[in-house]
Amino acid sequence: RAMDIYDRLKLLPFGQESSRFYERPSINLGRISGGDRINQVPERCVLDVDIRFLPEQPVERVREELMSLAVPGCRVVEMFRRPPAKVSTKDPFLQKLQAAAQSHMAGGEEVRLVGRDGTNDGTYFLQRGIPSVEFGPIGSGHHGPQEKVSVRSLRAYRLALLDFLHSVAADAESLAGRVTHPAGAQRNEPRELL
């Protein structure tokens, strides 16, 4: 029965949607627990599902769709929620980073902006009104036994970061005040860009 509910969850409308940066929301069955003997049908089964919905999807609608799964004997509980990480493609810092990276791309390949359904410490900066994106050398197999990075791409990465910092420093006056504190943040904290 629990797996039937999980299968229904994956078919909910929010789970079928895509956006400019995301192919679809991430729905990951992270843990199943229940029972205390292998020769008995468990009285209770708990599924822990990690859902990372699209930034454009209203949380109220996603929650409503999830609650539709709460049939007799089934309970849906939201354990944790973090707002999606969003940075405008028009953000001047992002545009400067993209231009700096583009100038060091081998073979003239285009630097693409993509969305990721993972998380990182950038979310803490975003909560403070500071634009944050992931940017790094070319690699694959992230967080797995086959994780690797292209050593050749490290030089281009370093040069792109240096160009980005020089570009920000050159435009410091026009960029001043672009980083704003969200409501409720401490306003007497230093707000320097560099």
Side-chain angles (χ1 to χ4, degrees):
R1 182 172 169 184
M3 290 310 298
D4 291 338
I5 291 171
Y6 177 68
D7 289 339
R8 285 181 40 218
L9 184 158
K10 293 188 301 183
L11 296 175
L12 289 173
F14 86 88
Q16 309 307 306
E17 296 173 7
S18 63
S19 69
R20 176 179 176 191
F21 295 117
Y22 298 90
E23 183 179 327
R24 66 184 181 288
S26 170
I27 301 173
N28 179 52
L29 177 55
R31 182 173 37 208
I32 303 173
S33 59
D36 55 5
R37 292 184 179 79
I38 62 171
N39 64 344
Q40 281 185 333
V41 175
E43 177 183 328
R44 180 173 178 258
C45 180
V46 177
L47 304 180
D48 290 333
V49 182
D50 179 12
I51 299 173
R52 299 177 187 202
F53 54 92
L54 304 178
E56 299 83 7
Q57 294 176 311
V59 65
E60 298 80 16
R61 182 173 65 90
V62 172
R63 188 180 291 124
E64 185 177 296
E65 289 181 28
L66 290 170
M67 291 306 171
S68 74
L69 298 172
V71 296
C74 172
R75 205 168 47 123
V76 177
V77 178
E78 181 179 334
M79 296 169 54
F80 177 82
R81 181 168 54 95
R82 177 179 292 157
K86 294 192 280 189
V87 175
S88 169
T89 57
K90 293 178 175 40
D91 182 273
F93 293 101
L94 179 57
Q95 289 177 343
K96 286 182 176 301
L97 180 61
Q98 187 176 17
Q102 187 65 57
S103 68
H104 295 285
M105 282 295 288
E109 197 174 327
E110 182 183 351
V111 172
R112 295 180 311 129
L113 302 176
V114 297
R116 296 281 186 243
D117 55 20
T119 188
N120 63 40
D121 290 343
T123 59
Y124 300 110
F125 290 93
L126 289 166
Q127 290 170 2
R128 306 292 294 175
I130 302 168
S132 174
V133 297
E134 283 189 32
F135 173 67
I138 296 170
S140 63
H142 306 305
H143 307 300
Q146 301 299 317
E147 182 172 15
K148 61 183 176 183
V149 65
S150 161
V151 174
R152 185 172 292 153
S153 73
L154 289 172
R155 181 176 188 276
Y157 173 59
R158 180 180 64 82
L159 293 172
L161 285 176
L162 288 170
D163 284 356
F164 168 70
L165 292 173
H166 288 297
S167 176
V168 169
D171 289 342
E173 288 297 320
S174 67
L175 294 171
R178 297 291 304 190
V179 176
T180 58
H181 288 275
Q186 297 292 334
R187 300 216 182 269
N188 58 354
E189 295 178 8
R191 293 177 40 186
E192 295 181 16
L193 295 176
L194 298 174

